[in-house]
Amino acid sequence: MKITKDTAVTLRFKVLDAQGRLIEQSSEPSVYLHGGYQNTLPKIEEALEGKEAGYSVTLALEPEDTFGLRDESLVRVIPKSEFPPGVKVGGQLQGVTDRGEPHVFHVMKIKGPEVHLDGNHPLAGKSLRFGITVLGVRAASAEEIAHGHVHGEHGHHH
């Protein structure tokens, strides 16, 4: 079966930086609903359209096509006194952007009385290579299409 709109695609992937260093690799197969449901990056969907199980590709993508450019307005330094006890590096906190929109910030560093936050995706601003192998393709169920994601093994669980 070919990958087209409303198919469930099972794949393995790895993400490398521009120098070829491994950033992430799927230990279990991943599955997504193909066809513009925002379950994967648009350039990945574009590359897989019309392909079948067994297809492998390595895509070199620029930041605009992955996690975006870094936005320095999402970097904050806030007094530690404004945080509840137990704030830790690596934690995530809900905050607001300069426009007052809710946003998740990552605690990057705690330096003396300051907490350094970054609201950018950790891979924002980086050129990346995605190694993808299609393991399987099937028609999505009516329920999966209605929900906009795949259910079951390696998919979304309600």
Side-chain angles (χ1 to χ4, degrees):
M1 172 175 239
K2 291 189 183 299
I3 298 172
T4 59
K5 183 167 178 56
D6 299 335
T7 55
V9 180
T10 303
L11 47 83
R12 282 200 187 278
F13 71 90
K14 61 183 172 181
V15 182
L16 303 109
D17 67 14
Q19 292 71 44
R21 289 184 296 259
L22 184 66
I23 295 172
E24 182 180 350
Q25 185 168 343
S26 59
S27 56
E28 294 290 322
S30 299
V31 64
Y32 79 96
L33 181 59
H34 188 86
Y37 294 95
Q38 300 177 346
N39 293 179
T40 191
L41 299 170
K43 290 286 185 181
I44 290 176
E45 280 207 348
E46 186 180 302
L48 297 181
E49 180 73 27
K51 305 302 189 249
E52 298 178 346
Y55 177 74
S56 288
V57 66
T58 299
L59 302 173
L61 300 178
E62 294 304 314
E64 312 65 58
D65 296 319
T66 58
F67 302 100
L69 299 172
R70 282 194 52 80
D71 180 349
E72 294 308 316
S73 76
L74 295 175
V75 176
R76 307 266 195 283
V77 178
I78 298 177
K80 190 174 180 182
S81 61
E82 293 185 23
F83 291 89
V87 64
K88 291 186 214 162
V89 171
Q92 294 181 346
L93 302 166
Q94 184 72 34
V96 293
T97 64
D98 291 343
R99 292 176 294 221
E101 298 163 343
H103 195 80
V104 174
F105 290 83
H106 304 272
V107 179
M108 303 305 291
K109 173 169 53 171
I110 299 173
K111 188 174 182 181
E114 299 176 333
V115 177
H116 295 248
L117 304 173
D118 192 341
N120 288 286
H121 186 283
L123 297 176
K126 296 183 189 274
S127 297
L128 301 170
R129 293 194 324 217
F130 291 80
I132 301 165
T133 300
V134 178
L135 303 176
V137 182
R138 66 168 173 80
S141 71
E143 181 182 37
E144 289 171 326
I145 294 166
H147 289 190
H149 56 250
V150 175
H151 295 161
E153 188 177 15
H154 310 301
H156 185 83
H157 301 279
H158 288 277

